[in-house]
PDB file of all heavy atoms in Angstrom:
ATOM      1  N   LEU X   1     154.030 101.391 164.551  1.00 96.00           N
ATOM      2  CA  LEU X   1     152.887 100.545 164.877  1.00 96.00           C
ATOM      3  C   LEU X   1     153.150 100.014 166.295  1.00 96.00           C
ATOM      4  O   LEU X   1     152.095  99.875 167.020  1.00 96.00           O
ATOM      5  CB  LEU X   1     152.831  99.329 163.850  1.00 96.00           C
ATOM      6  CG  LEU X   1     152.397  99.765 162.473  1.00 96.00           C
ATOM      7  CD1 LEU X   1     152.540  98.618 161.550  1.00 96.00           C
ATOM      8  CD2 LEU X   1     150.951 100.302 162.435  1.00 96.00           C
ATOM      9  N   ALA X   2     154.300  99.703 166.675  1.00 95.00           N
ATOM     10  CA  ALA X   2     154.574  99.294 168.073  1.00 95.00           C
ATOM     11  C   ALA X   2     154.164 100.313 169.095  1.00 95.00           C
ATOM     12  O   ALA X   2     153.711 100.003 170.131  1.00 95.00           O
ATOM     13  CB  ALA X   2     156.056  98.834 168.223  1.00 95.00           C
ATOM     14  N   ALA X   3     154.429 101.596 168.714  1.00 95.00           N
ATOM     15  CA  ALA X   3     154.116 102.703 169.652  1.00 95.00           C
ATOM     16  C   ALA X   3     152.646 103.124 169.557  1.00 95.00           C
ATOM     17  O   ALA X   3     152.305 104.133 170.210  1.00 95.00           O
ATOM     18  CB  ALA X   3     155.051 103.889 169.349  1.00 95.00           C
ATOM     19  N   GLY X   4     151.914 102.577 168.654  1.00 94.00           N
ATOM     20  CA  GLY X   4     150.473 102.831 168.513  1.00 94.00           C
ATOM     21  C   GLY X   4     150.116 104.003 167.649  1.00 94.00           C
ATOM     22  O   GLY X   4     149.062 104.635 167.838  1.00 94.00           O
ATOM     23  N   VAL X   5     150.974 104.288 166.690  1.00 96.00           N
ATOM     24  CA  VAL X   5     150.704 105.407 165.705  1.00 96.00           C
ATOM     25  C   VAL X   5     150.852 104.812 164.324  1.00 96.00           C
ATOM     26  O   VAL X   5     151.524 103.812 164.129  1.00 96.00           O
ATOM     27  CB  VAL X   5     151.561 106.651 165.920  1.00 96.00           C
ATOM     28  CG1 VAL X   5     151.285 107.301 167.243  1.00 96.00           C
ATOM     29  CG2 VAL X   5     153.045 106.244 165.892  1.00 96.00           C
ATOM     30  N   TYR X   6     150.218 105.612 163.345  1.00 95.00           N
ATOM     31  CA  TYR X   6     150.285 105.196 161.947  1.00 95.00           C
ATOM     32  C   TYR X   6     151.127 106.265 161.213  1.00 95.00           C
ATOM     33  O   TYR X   6     151.090 107.413 161.568  1.00 95.00           O
ATOM     34  CB  TYR X   6     148.954 105.112 161.334  1.00 95.00           C
ATOM     35  CG  TYR X   6     148.066 103.943 161.758  1.00 95.00           C
ATOM     36  CD1 TYR X   6     147.302 104.079 162.870  1.00 95.00           C
ATOM     37  CD2 TYR X   6     148.198 102.679 161.189  1.00 95.00           C
ATOM     38  CE1 TYR X   6     146.510 103.042 163.339  1.00 95.00           C
ATOM     39  CE2 TYR X   6     147.441 101.667 161.580  1.00 95.00           C
ATOM     40  CZ  TYR X   6     146.564 101.732 162.702  1.00 95.00           C
ATOM     41  OH  TYR X   6     145.852 100.744 163.152  1.00 95.00           O
ATOM     42  N   ASP X   7     151.875 105.823 160.141  1.00 97.00           N
ATOM     43  CA  ASP X   7     152.505 106.809 159.329  1.00 97.00           C
ATOM     44  C   ASP X   7     152.104 106.481 157.866  1.00 97.00           C
ATOM     45  O   ASP X   7     152.708 105.661 157.168  1.00 97.00           O
ATOM     46  CB  ASP X   7     154.072 106.739 159.447  1.00 97.00           C
ATOM     47  CG  ASP X   7     154.728 107.828 158.696  1.00 97.00           C
ATOM     48  OD1 ASP X   7     154.047 108.576 157.880  1.00 97.00           O
ATOM     49  OD2 ASP X   7     155.980 107.934 158.780  1.00 97.00           O
ATOM     50  N   LEU X   8     151.112 107.204 157.438  1.00 97.00           N
ATOM     51  CA  LEU X   8     150.612 106.937 156.050  1.00 97.00           C
ATOM     52  C   LEU X   8     151.344 107.839 155.046  1.00 97.00           C
ATOM     53  O   LEU X   8     151.053 107.813 153.844  1.00 97.00           O
ATOM     54  CB  LEU X   8     149.049 107.292 155.970  1.00 97.00           C
ATOM     55  CG  LEU X   8     148.227 106.466 156.777  1.00 97.00           C
ATOM     56  CD1 LEU X   8     146.697 106.879 156.586  1.00 97.00           C
ATOM     57  CD2 LEU X   8     148.356 105.042 156.390  1.00 97.00           C
ATOM     58  N   SER X   9     152.342 108.579 155.546  1.00 97.00           N
ATOM     59  CA  SER X   9     153.158 109.419 154.719  1.00 97.00           C
ATOM     60  C   SER X   9     154.474 108.719 154.298  1.00 97.00           C
ATOM     61  O   SER X   9     155.341 109.265 153.658  1.00 97.00           O
ATOM     62  CB  SER X   9     153.544 110.720 155.353  1.00 97.00           C
ATOM     63  OG  SER X   9     154.359 110.579 156.453  1.00 97.00           O
ATOM     64  N   VAL X  10     154.581 107.419 154.751  1.00 97.00           N
ATOM     65  CA  VAL X  10     155.843 106.757 154.515  1.00 97.00           C
ATOM     66  C   VAL X  10     156.187 106.587 153.044  1.00 97.00           C
ATOM     67  O   VAL X  10     157.292 106.691 152.604  1.00 97.00           O
ATOM     68  CB  VAL X  10     155.807 105.339 155.200  1.00 97.00           C
ATOM     69  CG1 VAL X  10     154.780 104.398 154.604  1.00 97.00           C
ATOM     70  CG2 VAL X  10     157.081 104.639 155.234  1.00 97.00           C
ATOM     71  N   GLY X  11     155.139 106.413 152.171  1.00 96.00           N
ATOM     72  CA  GLY X  11     155.336 106.273 150.720  1.00 96.00           C
ATOM     73  C   GLY X  11     155.689 107.633 150.163  1.00 96.00           C
ATOM     74  O   GLY X  11     156.652 107.696 149.288  1.00 96.00           O
ATOM     75  N   GLY X  12     155.095 108.687 150.630  1.00 97.00           N
ATOM     76  CA  GLY X  12     155.457 110.020 150.190  1.00 97.00           C
ATOM     77  C   GLY X  12     156.863 110.382 150.549  1.00 97.00           C
ATOM     78  O   GLY X  12     157.622 111.049 149.828  1.00 97.00           O
ATOM     79  N   THR X  13     157.326 109.940 151.804  1.00 98.00           N
ATOM     80  CA  THR X  13     158.688 110.214 152.255  1.00 98.00           C
ATOM     81  C   THR X  13     159.688 109.495 151.290  1.00 98.00           C
ATOM     82  O   THR X  13     160.716 110.127 150.944  1.00 98.00           O
ATOM     83  CB  THR X  13     158.882 109.773 153.657  1.00 98.00           C
ATOM     84  OG1 THR X  13     157.932 110.451 154.566  1.00 98.00           O
ATOM     85  CG2 THR X  13     160.247 110.160 154.155  1.00 98.00           C
ATOM     86  N   MET X  14     159.384 108.263 151.011  1.00 98.00           N
ATOM     87  CA  MET X  14     160.282 107.509 150.108  1.00 98.00           C
ATOM     88  C   MET X  14     160.322 108.205 148.785  1.00 98.00           C
ATOM     89  O   MET X  14     161.425 108.419 148.146  1.00 98.00           O
ATOM     90  CB  MET X  14     159.726 106.097 149.893  1.00 98.00           C
ATOM     91  CG  MET X  14     160.550 105.296 148.846  1.00 98.00           C
ATOM     92  SD  MET X  14     159.692 103.782 148.409  1.00 98.00           S
ATOM     93  CE  MET X  14     160.643 103.211 147.043  1.00 98.00           C
ATOM     94  N   GLY X  15     159.142 108.626 148.212  1.00 97.00           N
ATOM     95  CA  GLY X  15     159.098 109.299 146.895  1.00 97.00           C
ATOM     96  C   GLY X  15     159.925 110.616 146.949  1.00 97.00           C
ATOM     97  O   GLY X  15     160.597 110.960 145.969  1.00 97.00           O
ATOM     98  N   MET X  16     159.767 111.422 148.024  1.00 97.00           N
ATOM     99  CA  MET X  16     160.439 112.664 148.107  1.00 97.00           C
ATOM    100  C   MET X  16     161.958 112.507 148.139  1.00 97.00           C
ATOM    101  O   MET X  16     162.708 113.213 147.407  1.00 97.00           O
ATOM    102  CB  MET X  16     160.021 113.379 149.457  1.00 97.00           C
ATOM    103  CG  MET X  16     160.718 114.670 149.733  1.00 97.00           C
ATOM    104  SD  MET X  16     160.594 115.881 148.325  1.00 97.00           S
ATOM    105  CE  MET X  16     158.977 116.495 148.631  1.00 97.00           C
ATOM    106  N   THR X  17     162.535 111.568 148.921  1.00 98.00           N
ATOM    107  CA  THR X  17     163.980 111.378 149.008  1.00 98.00           C
ATOM    108  C   THR X  17     164.504 110.828 147.698  1.00 98.00           C
ATOM    109  O   THR X  17     165.552 111.214 147.193  1.00 98.00           O
ATOM    110  CB  THR X  17     164.406 110.442 150.187  1.00 98.00           C
ATOM    111  OG1 THR X  17     163.661 109.176 150.004  1.00 98.00           O
ATOM    112  CG2 THR X  17     164.057 111.047 151.445  1.00 98.00           C
ATOM    113  N   MET X  18     163.708 109.990 147.021  1.00 97.00           N
ATOM    114  CA  MET X  18     164.025 109.476 145.729  1.00 97.00           C
ATOM    115  C   MET X  18     164.162 110.615 144.704  1.00 97.00           C
ATOM    116  O   MET X  18     165.056 110.656 143.984  1.00 97.00           O
ATOM    117  CB  MET X  18     162.977 108.379 145.276  1.00 97.00           C
ATOM    118  CG  MET X  18     163.201 107.823 143.964  1.00 97.00           C
ATOM    119  SD  MET X  18     161.848 106.718 143.473  1.00 97.00           S
ATOM    120  CE  MET X  18     162.409 106.098 141.916  1.00 97.00           C
ATOM    121  N   MET X  19     163.160 111.505 144.745  1.00 97.00           N
ATOM    122  CA  MET X  19     163.153 112.538 143.775  1.00 97.00           C
ATOM    123  C   MET X  19     164.266 113.568 144.090  1.00 97.00           C
ATOM    124  O   MET X  19     165.030 114.085 143.246  1.00 97.00           O
ATOM    125  CB  MET X  19     161.818 113.276 143.821  1.00 97.00           C
ATOM    126  CG  MET X  19     161.637 114.353 142.785  1.00 97.00           C
ATOM    127  SD  MET X  19     161.880 113.817 141.047  1.00 97.00           S
ATOM    128  CE  MET X  19     160.430 112.675 140.865  1.00 97.00           C
ATOM    129  N   LEU X  20     164.495 113.900 145.362  1.00 97.00           N
ATOM    130  CA  LEU X  20     165.466 114.885 145.789  1.00 97.00           C
ATOM    131  C   LEU X  20     166.903 114.468 145.410  1.00 97.00           C
ATOM    132  O   LEU X  20     167.609 115.291 144.870  1.00 97.00           O
ATOM    133  CB  LEU X  20     165.418 115.140 147.290  1.00 97.00           C
ATOM    134  CG  LEU X  20     164.439 116.179 147.825  1.00 97.00           C
ATOM    135  CD1 LEU X  20     164.550 116.278 149.341  1.00 97.00           C
ATOM    136  CD2 LEU X  20     164.825 117.570 147.200  1.00 97.00           C
ATOM    137  N   VAL X  21     167.196 113.161 145.728  1.00 97.00           N
ATOM    138  CA  VAL X  21     168.549 112.717 145.481  1.00 97.00           C
ATOM    139  C   VAL X  21     168.870 112.750 143.949  1.00 97.00           C
ATOM    140  O   VAL X  21     170.106 112.998 143.537  1.00 97.00           O
ATOM    141  CB  VAL X  21     168.852 111.383 146.093  1.00 97.00           C
ATOM    142  CG1 VAL X  21     168.183 110.271 145.223  1.00 97.00           C
ATOM    143  CG2 VAL X  21     170.292 111.085 146.320  1.00 97.00           C
ATOM    144  N   ALA X  22     167.887 112.509 143.114  1.00 97.00           N
ATOM    145  CA  ALA X  22     168.071 112.598 141.689  1.00 97.00           C
ATOM    146  C   ALA X  22     168.090 114.049 141.183  1.00 97.00           C
ATOM    147  O   ALA X  22     168.951 114.466 140.364  1.00 97.00           O
ATOM    148  CB  ALA X  22     167.019 111.827 140.943  1.00 97.00           C
ATOM    149  N   TRP X  23     167.187 114.886 141.696  1.00 97.00           N
ATOM    150  CA  TRP X  23     167.093 116.237 141.326  1.00 97.00           C
ATOM    151  C   TRP X  23     168.294 117.046 141.697  1.00 97.00           C
ATOM    152  O   TRP X  23     168.802 117.892 140.926  1.00 97.00           O
ATOM    153  CB  TRP X  23     165.828 116.828 141.993  1.00 97.00           C
ATOM    154  CG  TRP X  23     165.496 118.257 141.684  1.00 97.00           C
ATOM    155  CD1 TRP X  23     165.151 118.846 140.452  1.00 97.00           C
ATOM    156  CD2 TRP X  23     165.608 119.335 142.663  1.00 97.00           C
ATOM    157  NE1 TRP X  23     164.971 120.206 140.607  1.00 97.00           N
ATOM    158  CE2 TRP X  23     165.234 120.528 141.990  1.00 97.00           C
ATOM    159  CE3 TRP X  23     165.855 119.394 144.007  1.00 97.00           C
ATOM    160  CZ2 TRP X  23     165.219 121.761 142.576  1.00 97.00           C
ATOM    161  CZ3 TRP X  23     165.807 120.631 144.647  1.00 97.00           C
ATOM    162  CH2 TRP X  23     165.518 121.799 143.910  1.00 97.00           C
ATOM    163  N   LEU X  24     168.818 116.892 142.890  1.00 96.00           N
ATOM    164  CA  LEU X  24     170.015 117.625 143.299  1.00 96.00           C
ATOM    165  C   LEU X  24     171.202 117.291 142.409  1.00 96.00           C
ATOM    166  O   LEU X  24     172.067 118.157 142.116  1.00 96.00           O
ATOM    167  CB  LEU X  24     170.331 117.272 144.758  1.00 96.00           C
ATOM    168  CG  LEU X  24     169.323 117.802 145.829  1.00 96.00           C
ATOM    169  CD1 LEU X  24     169.594 117.196 147.168  1.00 96.00           C
ATOM    170  CD2 LEU X  24     169.393 119.297 145.764  1.00 96.00           C
ATOM    171  N   GLN X  25     171.291 116.077 141.936  1.00 96.00           N
ATOM    172  CA  GLN X  25     172.440 115.669 141.046  1.00 96.00           C
ATOM    173  C   GLN X  25     172.133 116.186 139.619  1.00 96.00           C
ATOM    174  O   GLN X  25     173.117 116.729 138.998  1.00 96.00           O
ATOM    175  CB  GLN X  25     172.589 114.183 141.037  1.00 96.00           C
ATOM    176  CG  GLN X  25     173.039 113.586 142.375  1.00 96.00           C
ATOM    177  CD  GLN X  25     173.123 112.060 142.300  1.00 96.00           C
ATOM    178  OE1 GLN X  25     174.017 111.508 141.709  1.00 96.00           O
ATOM    179  NE2 GLN X  25     172.103 111.404 142.885  1.00 96.00           N
ATOM    180  N   SER X  26     170.964 116.055 139.139  1.00 94.00           N
ATOM    181  CA  SER X  26     170.653 116.366 137.788  1.00 94.00           C
ATOM    182  C   SER X  26     170.525 117.856 137.524  1.00 94.00           C
ATOM    183  O   SER X  26     171.100 118.404 136.593  1.00 94.00           O
ATOM    184  CB  SER X  26     169.307 115.654 137.342  1.00 94.00           C
ATOM    185  OG  SER X  26     168.927 115.989 136.097  1.00 94.00           O
ATOM    186  N   SER X  27     169.773 118.493 138.369  1.00 92.00           N
ATOM    187  CA  SER X  27     169.440 119.980 138.085  1.00 92.00           C
ATOM    188  C   SER X  27     170.466 120.939 138.774  1.00 92.00           C
ATOM    189  O   SER X  27     170.627 122.012 138.319  1.00 92.00           O
ATOM    190  CB  SER X  27     168.076 120.310 138.563  1.00 92.00           C
ATOM    191  OG  SER X  27     167.084 119.566 137.889  1.00 92.00           O
ATOM    192  N   HIS X  28     171.093 120.518 139.830  1.00 92.00           N
ATOM    193  CA  HIS X  28     172.008 121.393 140.587  1.00 92.00           C
ATOM    194  C   HIS X  28     173.412 120.861 140.544  1.00 92.00           C
ATOM    195  O   HIS X  28     174.274 121.478 141.170  1.00 92.00           O
ATOM    196  CB  HIS X  28     171.512 121.503 142.007  1.00 92.00           C
ATOM    197  CG  HIS X  28     170.216 122.222 142.108  1.00 92.00           C
ATOM    198  ND1 HIS X  28     170.058 123.620 142.169  1.00 92.00           N
ATOM    199  CD2 HIS X  28     168.936 121.781 142.098  1.00 92.00           C
ATOM    200  CE1 HIS X  28     168.790 123.920 142.275  1.00 92.00           C
ATOM    201  NE2 HIS X  28     168.092 122.829 142.207  1.00 92.00           N
ATOM    202  N   HIS X  29     173.688 119.710 139.908  1.00 92.00           N
ATOM    203  CA  HIS X  29     175.006 119.172 139.744  1.00 92.00           C
ATOM    204  C   HIS X  29     175.717 119.000 141.090  1.00 92.00           C
ATOM    205  O   HIS X  29     176.945 119.230 141.096  1.00 92.00           O
ATOM    206  CB  HIS X  29     175.801 120.073 138.751  1.00 92.00           C
ATOM    207  CG  HIS X  29     175.117 120.432 137.495  1.00 92.00           C
ATOM    208  ND1 HIS X  29     174.802 119.473 136.506  1.00 92.00           N
ATOM    209  CD2 HIS X  29     174.594 121.609 137.087  1.00 92.00           C
ATOM    210  CE1 HIS X  29     174.170 119.988 135.568  1.00 92.00           C
ATOM    211  NE2 HIS X  29     173.943 121.285 135.883  1.00 92.00           N
ATOM    212  N   LEU X  30     175.013 118.611 142.088  1.00 94.00           N
ATOM    213  CA  LEU X  30     175.621 118.393 143.384  1.00 94.00           C
ATOM    214  C   LEU X  30     176.245 116.948 143.385  1.00 94.00           C
ATOM    215  O   LEU X  30     175.745 116.063 142.836  1.00 94.00           O
ATOM    216  CB  LEU X  30     174.540 118.531 144.429  1.00 94.00           C
ATOM    217  CG  LEU X  30     174.934 118.713 145.868  1.00 94.00           C
ATOM    218  CD1 LEU X  30     175.645 120.112 145.936  1.00 94.00           C
ATOM    219  CD2 LEU X  30     173.703 118.714 146.790  1.00 94.00           C
ATOM    220  N   GLY X  31     177.288 116.825 144.125  1.00 94.00           N
ATOM    221  CA  GLY X  31     177.905 115.501 144.280  1.00 94.00           C
ATOM    222  C   GLY X  31     176.979 114.529 144.981  1.00 94.00           C
ATOM    223  O   GLY X  31     176.187 114.959 145.735  1.00 94.00           O
ATOM    224  N   PHE X  32     177.017 113.254 144.577  1.00 95.00           N
ATOM    225  CA  PHE X  32     176.042 112.335 145.091  1.00 95.00           C
ATOM    226  C   PHE X  32     176.127 112.166 146.508  1.00 95.00           C
ATOM    227  O   PHE X  32     175.094 111.891 147.168  1.00 95.00           O
ATOM    228  CB  PHE X  32     176.227 111.000 144.307  1.00 95.00           C
ATOM    229  CG  PHE X  32     177.379 110.115 144.735  1.00 95.00           C
ATOM    230  CD1 PHE X  32     177.164 109.182 145.739  1.00 95.00           C
ATOM    231  CD2 PHE X  32     178.644 110.336 144.251  1.00 95.00           C
ATOM    232  CE1 PHE X  32     178.189 108.393 146.127  1.00 95.00           C
ATOM    233  CE2 PHE X  32     179.661 109.467 144.689  1.00 95.00           C
ATOM    234  CZ  PHE X  32     179.415 108.502 145.645  1.00 95.00           C
ATOM    235  N   VAL X  33     177.282 112.283 147.178  1.00 96.00           N
ATOM    236  CA  VAL X  33     177.324 112.125 148.650  1.00 96.00           C
ATOM    237  C   VAL X  33     176.527 113.272 149.246  1.00 96.00           C
ATOM    238  O   VAL X  33     175.735 112.996 150.236  1.00 96.00           O
ATOM    239  CB  VAL X  33     178.748 112.240 149.104  1.00 96.00           C
ATOM    240  CG1 VAL X  33     178.913 112.256 150.680  1.00 96.00           C
ATOM    241  CG2 VAL X  33     179.563 110.998 148.531  1.00 96.00           C
TER     242      VAL X  33
END
């Protein structure tokens, strides 16, 4: 906003990382780090 642009994907980005970090652990048994 300071730079004069909008990011309407910010909620989707949050949702994607939330889903990825759980999916990688649950479905692929990857270490949480």
Side-chain angles (χ1 to χ4, degrees):
L1 291 174
V5 294
Y6 291 91
D7 187 354
L8 297 181
S9 67
V10 67
T13 304
M14 175 191 170
M16 174 59 77
T17 55
M18 179 185 183
M19 185 59 67
L20 271 180
V21 77
W23 178 69
L24 290 171
Q25 294 176 77
S26 176
S27 299
H28 295 272
H29 311 291
L30 201 64
F32 77 94
V33 174

